[in-house]
Amino acid sequence: MRFTTTLENGLTLRHLLNLTLAASSVLFSVVFIYCIYRLFQTYDWGQPFTKFLCFSGLFALCLTLFRHRQQTQSLPNFLFIGEALFASLVVIAIFYRMLNGYGDALFTAPTVDIGYTTEHAARLLFLQGENPYLSQEINIRPELAAEHRGFHYGPAMLLGYAPSAFFPGVGYKVMSMVFLAIAAISMCMLIVGNMKGQSRWQVRSTVLIALMLFFLPERLWYEVFQVGANDIYPVSLLLLGMVFAQRDKWLWAGILMGLSFATKFSPAAFLLAMFLRKDIRMTFLAGCVIGVTPMMAFLVWDYQSLMENVFFLRFGLNYDSTSLYSITPPVLHVLFPLAQLSALVYLLVRNFGRTLSTEETLVCFTLLLIIIEVTFKEIHANHLIWFYPLIAFIVATYRHKLFPQH
């Protein structure tokens, strides 16, 4: 009898310890991410070393959570109910605060160059029938050569923001809201698809935690609502494409990811690289070809102007004060592209013979994208939009696994 009681008490203490570790993992992860997002909000232009530290923290958090993914956990239902209630209240508070602060901007035209040039290019294409890549008036900037003063993003960007040509200002912002909703819904669908067989409260709490983390950064609201950054569009296409890939709808997955590439070739190119594996589906490749047809059409129209503005400009870009280049001796600048190439080659070799799950594909993509971003010639605030849904998905999925279980 004494042995049984001791055993039962031992199991109870072990479960209590694991519950404490799981709850601490959630609390630490949420607070840690909040602090990083506040730093991103506070230090906008310049401050490359601060941004490097923030991205390094996110990289370490995601990698640690993913490496502990195999550890088994038996957590009580009241923990998931508590998480769901907490996340619901925080999401409501976020929407109340951010809509009060940025809701009026929905009815104003975009003020950042990536926004107003998109609106201008859409009017040029759909109302005047002209090629925006040939325009000398979209980007009149003294540092740009004449051949780089056309539209700087893929032609699928113009398809996504076509309403802005007919409804200036509000048409652009409404489409950004639609894409924001698509990104959030797709992220939730990916989580639900990964959690088949789990309890209802476990699924609900994970979805709500992910939504909380996605909408938490003020920078997301500022960029999408206030200044009109358009990076939410290509990311929403990638996430929706992953939903179809998760459901083995490979043709549609390829179409959406190819369309994202034709919208803005980064970050789409790095997610597509994660599919370069031995088990790649031919229907997926066919879908990618279909997805990039808008770019092919403009290549036929005038290939030189498109290549000069969408691709050559990016590859020949000078670094600015937001990048690590600006605080690194020139002799060491070669290390940055080498780091990018090494990370890409490593993941290609690592993944080639594997059949990756949805979450592993997204984790590899996120970690690669962080390396690419911190070693790029620009670390601009609108780029952060790429990471918010990815970080939210990873942390919500593995939020209880930061600390090793006993």
Side-chain angles (χ1 to χ4, degrees):
M1 177 67 69
R2 182 174 298 176
F3 175 80
T4 304
T5 303
T6 304
L7 181 61
E8 290 175 351
N9 290 339
L11 288 174
T12 302
L13 289 174
R14 190 188 69 184
H15 290 160
L16 181 60
L17 176 60
N18 286 340
L19 174 62
T20 303
L21 289 172
S24 300
S25 176
V26 177
L27 180 62
F28 178 88
S29 298
V30 171
V31 172
F32 184 72
I33 288 176
Y34 173 78
C35 292
I36 286 180
Y37 287 166
R38 287 308 305 166
L39 285 172
F40 276 134
Q41 178 69 18
T42 304
Y43 299 98
D44 183 3
W45 193 262
Q47 303 295 333
F49 188 68
T50 300
K51 294 179 181 180
F52 170 73
L53 292 178
C54 290
F55 274 116
S56 298
L58 292 175
F59 186 96
L61 178 64
C62 292
L63 183 59
T64 303
L65 289 170
F66 182 69
R67 291 183 66 179
H68 292 167
R69 69 190 182 281
Q70 299 296 347
Q71 64 185 18
T72 58
Q73 293 173 308
S74 179
L75 299 174
N77 218 34
F78 70 79
L79 175 63
F80 302 126
I81 295 173
E83 289 177 344
L85 292 175
F86 170 74
S88 298
L89 293 174
V90 174
V91 168
I92 293 171
I94 290 172
F95 270 78
Y96 178 80
R97 178 176 180 271
M98 297 304 176
L99 288 178
N100 278 338
Y102 298 105
D104 291 342
L106 175 63
F107 305 100
T108 62
T111 58
V112 71
D113 58 347
I114 57 179
Y116 64 71
T117 57
T118 298
E119 190 175 65
H120 185 181
R123 289 200 300 269
L124 204 63
L125 176 64
F126 295 112
L127 297 182
Q128 302 176 34
E130 298 181 19
N131 188 338
Y133 298 101
L134 289 170
S135 172
Q136 295 291 302
E137 301 177 354
I138 290 181
N139 282 291
I140 303 179
R141 290 159 50 187
E143 74 273 18
L144 293 177
E147 63 270 20
H148 296 314
R149 291 182 181 173
F151 187 52
H152 287 170
Y153 301 96
M157 183 73 78
L158 302 176
L159 298 179
Y161 284 97
S164 67
F166 307 97
F167 306 98
V170 66
Y172 182 94
K173 295 292 183 66
V174 166
M175 291 311 301
S176 289
M177 282 190 63
V178 170
F179 300 137
L180 185 65
I182 291 173
I185 293 170
S186 298
M187 179 187 68
C188 294
M189 292 177 68
L190 288 169
I191 290 172
V192 173
N194 284 337
M195 299 188 69
K196 292 179 180 178
Q198 304 293 334
S199 69
R200 289 184 180 181
W201 278 110
Q202 189 169 356
V203 175
R204 290 169 183 167
S205 63
T206 304
V207 167
L208 288 167
I209 290 287
L211 288 173
M212 179 187 72
L213 294 174
F214 181 27
F215 292 116
L216 180 63
E218 185 174 354
R219 177 60 60 177
L220 172 69
W221 299 82
Y222 176 80
E223 293 291 334
V224 174
F225 281 75
Q226 184 72 33
V227 301
N230 51 29
D231 294 84
I232 192 61
Y233 175 41
V235 170
S236 68
L237 291 173
L238 293 179
L239 291 171
L240 187 57
M242 286 300 298
V243 171
F244 282 100
Q246 186 184 58
R247 289 154 175 74
D248 291 328
K249 307 292 184 182
W250 290 103
L251 180 64
W252 280 105
I255 290 173
L256 289 163
M257 293 186 195
L259 190 61
S260 181
F261 182 88
T263 300
K264 195 170 185 178
F265 72 88
S266 175
F270 302 109
L271 179 56
L272 289 171
M274 298 301 97
F275 288 90
L276 296 179
R277 307 192 298 260
K278 187 169 59 177
D279 63 348
I280 191 170
R281 309 296 181 93
M282 290 300 104
T283 50
F284 176 75
L285 293 177
C288 291
V289 172
I290 295 172
V292 298
T293 49
M295 187 168 286
M296 296 178 184
F298 276 82
L299 284 171
V300 173
W301 192 348
D302 188 290
Y303 75 91
Q304 185 173 355
S305 63
L306 184 138
M307 295 299 294
E308 289 284 359
N309 285 288
V310 177
F311 294 100
F312 295 158
L313 172 67
R314 298 299 171 192
F315 296 133
L317 203 65
N318 291 324
Y319 64 84
D320 61 25
S321 63
T322 66
S323 73
L324 290 176
Y325 282 80
S326 65
I327 58 172
T328 306
V331 70
L332 298 179
H333 287 182
V334 68
L335 296 178
F336 297 129
L338 282 177
Q340 295 175 348
L341 181 61
S342 299
L344 178 60
V345 170
Y346 168 76
L347 287 174
L348 289 175
V349 173
R350 174 192 182 272
N351 298 339
F352 183 75
R354 302 187 182 195
T355 299
L356 301 186
S357 62
T358 302
E359 61 265 31
E360 188 168 0
T361 300
L362 286 174
V363 170
C364 290
F365 169 54
T366 304
L367 297 179
L368 174 62
L369 199 59
I370 289 176
I371 295 173
I372 296 295
E373 179 68 14
V374 298
T375 54
F376 190 52
K377 295 179 180 179
E378 298 174 343
I379 309 178
H380 289 174
N382 60 290
H383 299 170
L384 297 172
I385 295 173
W386 306 345
F387 296 94
Y388 294 139
L390 300 172
I391 298 297
F393 172 86
I394 295 169
V395 174
T397 299
Y398 306 116
R399 65 190 183 280
H400 299 127
K401 302 185 177 183
L402 182 61
F403 307 117
Q405 300 291 300
H406 297 275

